[in-house]
Amino acid sequence: MNKTLSLLAMEKLLKNSGAERVSNCAKEALRDVLEEMSNELGEKSIRLAKHSGRKTVKGVDIRLAKK
């Protein structure tokens, strides 16, 4: 699987949440979880857009898919 999110971005997210230090294992785990969640959210969003007769995925599709 091609990794889209950078480990630096994962470290920034965790530090913004209050972590003082972040291991490489934690960065990789967060990246894997977020990419899996985003793939699932993307698939649901695409189905919603298609159901609405659109090819374009809109913010409303993503927000509805999150629920």
Side-chain angles (χ1 to χ4, degrees), residues 26-39:
K27 294 176 215 177
E28 291 170 359
L30 180 60
R31 176 178 62 190
D32 292 345
V33 169
L34 289 178
E35 287 183 349
E36 182 180 328
M37 291 173 66
S38 67
N39 286 337

Side-chain angles (χ1 to χ4, degrees), residues 41-53:
L41 187 62
E43 290 171 2
K44 289 178 184 177
S45 300
I46 292 166
R47 283 196 301 272
L48 288 167
K50 286 183 179 179
H51 179 73
S52 296

Side-chain angles (χ1 to χ4, degrees), residues 9-43:
M10 300 303 99
E11 182 174 4
K12 286 180 181 180
L13 287 171
L14 289 166
K15 285 194 171 190
N16 285 342
S17 296
E20 289 185 36
R21 297 176 64 194
V22 181
S23 71
N24 282 336
C25 182
K27 294 176 215 177
E28 291 170 359
L30 180 60
R31 176 178 62 190
D32 292 345
V33 169
L34 289 178
E35 287 183 349
E36 182 180 328
M37 291 173 66
S38 67
N39 286 337
E40 292 171 7
L41 187 62
E43 290 171 2

Side-chain angles (χ1 to χ4, degrees), residues 46 49-50 52-58 61:
I46 292 166
K50 286 183 179 179
S52 296
R54 292 182 276 107
K55 293 181 181 179
T56 303
V57 176
K58 296 184 176 186
D61 300 319

